[in-house]
Amino acid sequence: MLKNKAYTMIEMLLAILFLGFISIFYLQTNSFVNREAKMLAYQTIAENLAREPIELLDTYGYHQICQLDSIQIPGIKINQWQKMEAECSETGIERPAKAYSFERKVTVTKLTHAKRKALLIKVAVRHTQDRSSLFRTGEISNSGIILE
Amino acid sequence: MKFAPVSFKRAFSFTEIVMVALLLSLIFFPIMSLYQFATRNSMNAMASQEMIATGRKISSQIRNDLKNSCFPYQGSFSISFDDMLSVKTSSSKGLEGVEYSFFRFPSNNKTGLYQKREGAFYTQSLVKIVYRLEKSQEEPLLKLIRTEIFPGMPEKLTVLSDRINFFHIKKIQIRMKDGFHSGVFNLFFQLANPLSKIRQENIQPKEALHPMIIHEFYEVVGSDFFSLLAKFPESVRNWNTSLSFSDGK
C-alpha cells in the first residue's frame, strides 16, 4: 500500500532558512557594491579637497604667505575645521555639490633647517556625518612642502 | 482471477489550489520586488563606479596638461594669467563647439625630439592642447575630445568621454604682492549616464524623475611655469625665450 507523506514542519523550516540565507547573501553583495560606489565618489571629492589648498598655497609662494603676521589666504582657514561649500564665496572656486558634506583643516608649520626655510602644509578632510564607515581611517590627509 | 490493488489518490481541490496560489504570490511578490530593487541599485552602483573611474582618468589627464601649461616667447615678457588659456565659446549651441586651448611642455622629451636648433640656440618646441566639446550620439550629452598639436607631426585626437553633461575650465585670479596677478585653473565637469541604457540591458524603468546618474568632478591646479613667473617677476627669463610654437600655417 502506498503511503502519501506530506512535508514535515522541519523540512519546511529548513527550506525557508536556506532561502533566507541566499537572500541575505544576495542583499549583502548588493549593499557592498552600493557602499563601494558611494565610498569611491566621496573619496574622489575628498582627495581633491585635500589637494586644493596645497595647490593654492604653492601658487602664493613662501614669501607671499610669510609676509603676513598671521597667515590669511582667501578661502582657507588655518588650524581650524572649515566647512566646505559647493562654491567658495571668496575665491570663486567651483566644487561638486556633495562637497558641502565635508570639512577640512589646513595646518601650516614653518620649518628651518641649515639656513633653508620652508612651510609644511598638512591638510585633513573628513565627512561631516559619516566619519567611521566611509573612510577606513576616518579622514583623508595630504601634505606638501613649499620651499623659500 | 486476481486484480491489482487499486489505490485511490485524492486530487487537489479548487480551494486548495487557490490557497496555494495566494500564498505563493504573497511570498514571491515581495521577494521579486526586493530582487528587482536590489538588482537596479546594483546596476546603478556599477555604472557609477565606471563613471567615477572615467572621471578620475579625465581629471588626471587635464590636471597633468594644465600643470605643465606654459606660454611661448613672442618677443615680449609681458604675459598675464589670462594668456595661459584661450576659450572659444559657441554663440548658439550652448556648450557644443566650446574649445579650451593652451600650450604645454612636451610630455616625452627624453630623446630631445622636441628641441630644435635655431642659429646658436636650441629652442624648445611646445605642444598645443585643445579640449573641444562636440555633439555626442547620446543626446543631450556631449563628447570631450582632446587634440594634441605638435609642429610637423599629425594631430593626435583622443575622445575622453561621450557622456559629458557639463564642462568648463575657469581661471581663478590670485593677487600677489606688488600688484602682480597669478592664478589657478578650476576644472569642473559632470559625467552622466542615462538610466534608460542601463535598463535596456536589465530591467524596466521606474524612476522617471531621475533619468540620469550624474557625477561631478573638480580640480584646482596651478601652472608651474606661471607660478614661477608670479613669484619671481623680476628674474632673468632666458629660459622663457627658448620656448616656441609654430603651427606651420
Side-chain angles (χ1 to χ4, degrees), chain B residues 102-117:
Chain B
F102 53 91
F103 300 97
R104 67 158 285 170
F105 288 102
S107 50
N108 183 6
N109 199 16
K110 287 175 190 164
T111 56
L113 176 70
Y114 303 115
Q115 285 191 343
K116 202 167 80 180
R117 189 172 177 148

Side-chain angles (χ1 to χ4, degrees), chain B residues 78-96:
Chain B
S78 59
I79 308 167
S80 83
F81 186 66
D82 264 341
D83 298 329
M84 296 292 292
L85 176 77
S86 305
V87 186
K88 193 181 130 192
T89 51
S90 170
S91 55
S92 58
K93 295 175 183 173
L95 282 175
E96 193 188 324

Side-chain angles (χ1 to χ4, degrees), chain A residues 1-2 4 19 23 26-27 29-30 32-38 40-45 47-52 55-64 67 84 86-87 91-99 104 146-148, chain B residues 7-10 28 31 34-36 38-39 41-46 48-49 52-53 56 59 63 67 166 168 170 172-177 182-184 186-188 214-224 227 230-232:
Chain A
M1 194 173 161
L2 286 172
N4 288 335
L19 278 173
S23 302
Y26 178 74
L27 290 173
T29 312
N30 272 302
F32 177 75
V33 172
N34 285 335
R35 204 174 154 275
E36 282 295 301
K38 195 177 166 188
L40 190 63
Y42 281 150
Q43 196 180 331
T44 307
I45 297 170
E47 278 172 12
N48 286 332
L49 286 172
R51 212 158 38 208
E52 183 197 309
E55 204 68 50
L56 273 172
L57 290 169
D58 185 44
T59 305
Y60 278 101
Y62 180 90
H63 292 288
Q64 177 92 0
Q67 75 176 6
M84 292 289 98
E87 186 167 356
T91 57
I93 289 173
E94 208 174 330
R95 307 184 185 108
K98 281 177 188 165
R104 183 173 72 190
I146 299 171
L147 295 170
E148 186 185 11
Chain B
S7 68
F8 290 96
K9 281 186 183 173
R10 199 175 145 260
F28 279 102
I31 287 176
L34 197 68
Y35 174 79
Q36 276 194 349
T39 310
N41 269 356
S42 180
M43 293 297 286
N44 289 353
M46 283 197 286
S48 281
Q49 280 186 338
I52 293 166
R56 284 172 80 116
S59 200
R63 183 186 166 77
K67 191 84 190 149
F166 182 77
H168 78 182
K170 203 157 76 173
I172 307 285
Q173 296 274 356
I174 290 173
R175 195 180 163 80
M176 306 290 281
K177 60 182 175 182
S182 184
V184 286
N186 178 199
L187 164 71
F188 182 88
I214 295 177
H215 278 284
E216 295 179 324
F217 301 87
Y218 97 107
E219 281 281 356
V220 172
V221 53
S223 155
D224 283 345
S227 184
K231 283 176 203 162
F232 309 104

Side-chain angles (χ1 to χ4, degrees), chain B residues 149-218:
Chain B
I149 305 159
F150 186 76
M153 287 171 89
E155 283 185 8
K156 197 175 154 190
L157 257 83
T158 320
V159 177
L160 297 177
S161 175
D162 57 355
R163 289 179 184 178
I164 299 285
N165 191 47
F166 182 77
F167 182 93
H168 78 182
I169 303 173
K170 203 157 76 173
K171 286 176 262 190
I172 307 285
Q173 296 274 356
I174 290 173
R175 195 180 163 80
M176 306 290 281
K177 60 182 175 182
D178 307 327
F180 200 82
H181 281 84
S182 184
V184 286
F185 301 105
N186 178 199
L187 164 71
F188 182 88
F189 66 96
Q190 290 178 339
L191 284 183
N193 196 345
L195 284 174
S196 56
K197 191 163 172 87
I198 303 167
R199 286 182 198 129
Q200 277 168 21
E201 296 156 6
N202 182 35
I203 42 179
Q204 72 272 24
K206 213 171 183 181
E207 298 157 322
L209 288 172
H210 303 285
M212 286 188 181
I213 307 172
I214 295 177
H215 278 284
E216 295 179 324
F217 301 87
Y218 97 107

Side-chain angles (χ1 to χ4, degrees), chain A residues 57-124:
Chain A
L57 290 169
D58 185 44
T59 305
Y60 278 101
Y62 180 90
H63 292 288
Q64 177 92 0
I65 298 169
C66 291
Q67 75 176 6
L68 302 160
D69 292 334
S70 59
I71 296 164
Q72 286 178 327
I73 301 292
I76 300 174
K77 286 180 183 164
I78 308 292
N79 290 330
Q80 56 176 293
W81 286 101
Q82 179 186 5
K83 198 154 177 9
M84 292 289 98
E85 302 162 307
E87 186 167 356
C88 180
S89 51
E90 287 173 85
T91 57
I93 289 173
E94 208 174 330
R95 307 184 185 108
K98 281 177 188 165
Y100 77 91
S101 319
F102 290 87
E103 50 189 9
R104 183 173 72 190
K105 189 179 183 182
V106 181
T107 317
V108 181
T109 317
K110 288 181 183 175
L111 304 174
T112 311
H113 178 71
K115 291 183 183 175
R116 292 297 303 270
K117 288 177 182 172
L119 292 172
L120 172 66
I121 318 289
K122 282 184 180 172
V123 188

